[in-house]
Amino acid sequence: MSSENLPQSPAQEPRKPRVAVVFGGRSSEHAISVVTAGAVLRSIDREKYDVLPIGITTDGRWALTADEPDRMAIADRTLPSVENLAESTEGGVVLSVDPSVREVLYSEPGSVPKALGEVDVVFPMLHGPYGEDGTLQGLLELSGVPYVGSGVLASAVGQDKEYMKRVFISFGLPVGPYEVIRPREWENDPSAARKKIVDFAGEHGWPLFIKPARGGSSMGITKVSDLSGLDAAIEEARRHDPKILVESLLRGREIECGVLEFEDGPRASVPAEIPPVTSHDFYDFEAKYIDSAAGLVPAPLTEEQTAEVRRLAVEAFDAASCEGLVRADFFLLDSGEFVINEINTMPGFTPISMYPRMWQETGVSYPELVDRLIQAALRRPTGLR
């Protein structure tokens, strides 16, 4: 019998790519990660992608969560958590480390594990240590699962402000004065560590900013005007990270610029400016996330200044071997020089976050931004590249 006369099976439609949005985590930025993930979940095109929300609790358990973005927002100044979103207090999600198997399993004590299906790409909305710093990226590399954002090296460099600055200096990018106090220095000889900071202040002047070397979202940062507040500021920073960074006050304007990976390489957005916050001593956590301090988008800069900050943002992206996205933060000094303060390899995506606002002004809407990041991750292989 001719094959033409055999009954034909109905053609199966190709399944949609499955995106696991992973959020929460063990860092002090847990709540901001939840808020960010809620905004992303709300914007993913469900006609184009299947979505699997996975939350990581503050103690590190991977939990299956409800796909309910409205429950992931800051409400009445109360921060959300994965613990309040998890469908079970004991069940756990497991990702295989076998690169030939992308299936995700869900297990509860005393029950047979259930297969949740394969995952094609992970959108890691984690901020801070144990997620944004290369640790999760390393797990995903072992699992052979593509993911949004930078790889292990760039994520680690982007998290550790000391080594970030060292990389930038080696590439000739302008960086402000800083000092580092390592854990052993403070623990073994606090007097010598304190003198190191006082000598730095003697050279560069007060006030100083004392901050966690591997933190984010402006958490744990204290502006210190004299010696009397130094020890308390150090302890506050060390509450978030045993290694601390000391920076001098740079007098000028705060300018931010977004970088996004397109098919032909990274491009920079229009820049934004963070104006002085009169109700806060500086642009701290509450100003960013609770009191909704507004930035100016686009920043009121000259054409030459705009071109320069966009060029520097892409150079910083390339210097740290970043992928996907970066928000680069600068100071425009009174002298007219741009100094790069830091990059953020997984910037916030909350409704008031500067990164999506800058791209919105550049012509890339929030849903398109999310889609471009997922598509870039799907194009990019895991492993050495």
Side-chain angles (χ1 to χ4, degrees):
M1 181 185 290
S2 168
S3 61
E4 294 178 359
N5 298 323
L6 291 173
Q8 301 294 311
S9 299
Q12 286 189 336
E13 289 187 15
R15 71 175 180 86
K16 293 181 286 187
R18 199 141 192 254
V19 182
V21 178
V22 180
F23 60 94
R26 294 162 56 192
S27 84
S28 56
E29 297 177 76
H30 176 98
I32 296 308
S33 173
V34 177
V35 174
T36 302
V40 169
L41 285 170
R42 192 177 288 110
S43 300
I44 290 180
D45 184 352
R46 304 307 176 98
E47 297 295 321
K48 191 172 182 178
Y49 304 105
D50 284 328
V51 178
L52 177 66
I54 299 174
I56 301 178
T57 64
T58 52
D59 61 2
R61 179 174 63 92
W62 288 45
L64 195 61
T65 68
D67 187 2
E68 298 177 12
D70 290 345
R71 294 175 57 199
M72 302 167 74
I74 298 174
D76 299 324
R77 303 177 76 89
T78 300
L79 300 175
S81 70
V82 170
E83 282 79 357
N84 292 333
L85 295 163
E87 294 191 349
S88 166
T89 58
E90 295 183 315
V93 174
V94 179
L95 180 66
S96 171
V97 292
D98 181 350
S100 66
V101 179
R102 290 184 178 177
E103 195 163 67
V104 175
L105 298 178
Y106 177 76
S107 64
E108 290 186 318
S111 301
V112 176
K114 295 185 295 185
L116 299 179
E118 290 189 351
V119 167
D120 297 289
V121 62
V122 169
F123 205 134
M125 301 311 307
L126 295 147
H127 299 303
Y130 314 112
E132 190 182 352
D133 59 350
T135 50
L136 178 64
Q137 289 75 14
L139 172 63
L140 296 173
E141 292 286 352
L142 287 173
S143 301
V145 180
Y147 52 92
V148 169
S150 291
V152 175
L153 173 65
S155 297
V157 168
Q159 186 66 37
D160 191 313
K161 294 178 177 62
E162 175 195 358
Y163 287 97
M164 180 197 306
K165 292 176 186 292
R166 289 180 181 272
V167 168
F168 290 157
I169 291 169
S170 72
F171 277 82
L173 291 165
V175 171
Y178 72 97
E179 188 58 87
V180 177
I181 303 297
R182 301 180 185 281
R184 283 198 303 270
E185 291 182 82
W186 183 251
E187 292 160 7
N188 294 345
D189 194 345
S191 296
R194 193 181 297 109
K195 182 180 184 303
K196 187 176 176 181
I197 298 174
V198 172
D199 289 346
F200 178 82
E203 182 178 357
H204 299 287
W206 299 89
L208 303 177
F209 288 93
I210 311 296
K211 59 176 66 175
R214 294 162 291 193
S217 296
S218 296
M219 300 187 79
I221 301 178
T222 305
K223 182 179 178 181
V224 180
S225 298
D226 53 44
L227 189 60
S228 64
L230 185 58
D231 280 16
I234 291 171
E235 290 303 331
E236 171 60 17
R238 281 175 51 81
R239 207 164 58 80
H240 299 268
D241 184 354
K243 182 167 79 167
I244 65 171
L245 193 76
V246 181
E247 293 177 333
S248 61
L249 173 68
L250 296 177
R251 301 190 183 280
R253 299 159 62 188
E254 291 190 52
I255 306 295
E256 298 184 348
C257 189
V259 181
L260 177 64
E261 181 183 343
F262 285 74
E263 289 82 356
D264 60 350
R267 302 182 199 172
S269 70
V270 300
E273 180 171 4
I274 307 299
V277 184
T278 56
S279 58
H280 296 264
D281 203 21
F282 61 96
Y283 195 45
D284 61 6
F285 177 86
E286 287 226 346
K288 280 184 178 180
Y289 299 109
I290 304 298
D291 293 340
S292 305
L296 304 175
V297 187
L301 300 171
T302 66
E303 288 186 14
E304 293 77 12
Q305 288 171 329
T306 297
E308 175 68 1
V309 75
R310 293 175 87 168
R311 179 187 70 81
L312 288 170
V314 172
E315 284 196 11
F317 183 96
D318 286 336
S321 298
C322 296
E323 295 167 296
L325 72 165
V326 148
R327 193 194 70 232
D329 300 345
F330 298 86
F331 290 106
L332 175 55
L333 304 183
D334 294 341
S335 63
E337 177 191 8
F338 280 104
V339 170
I340 185 165
N341 183 39
E342 64 182 48
I343 58 171
N344 192 314
T345 57
M346 187 50 70
F349 271 77
T350 65
I352 61 169
S353 294
M354 298 307 298
Y355 185 83
R357 287 183 60 196
M358 288 187 287
W359 279 108
Q360 177 78 40
E361 187 68 25
T362 311
V364 181
S365 69
Y366 195 112
E368 183 187 351
L369 180 61
V370 171
D371 185 65
R372 281 192 171 276
L373 289 169
I374 294 171
Q375 289 298 316
L378 287 168
R379 289 194 304 270
R380 189 188 312 128
T382 54
L384 298 177
R385 50 191 184 273

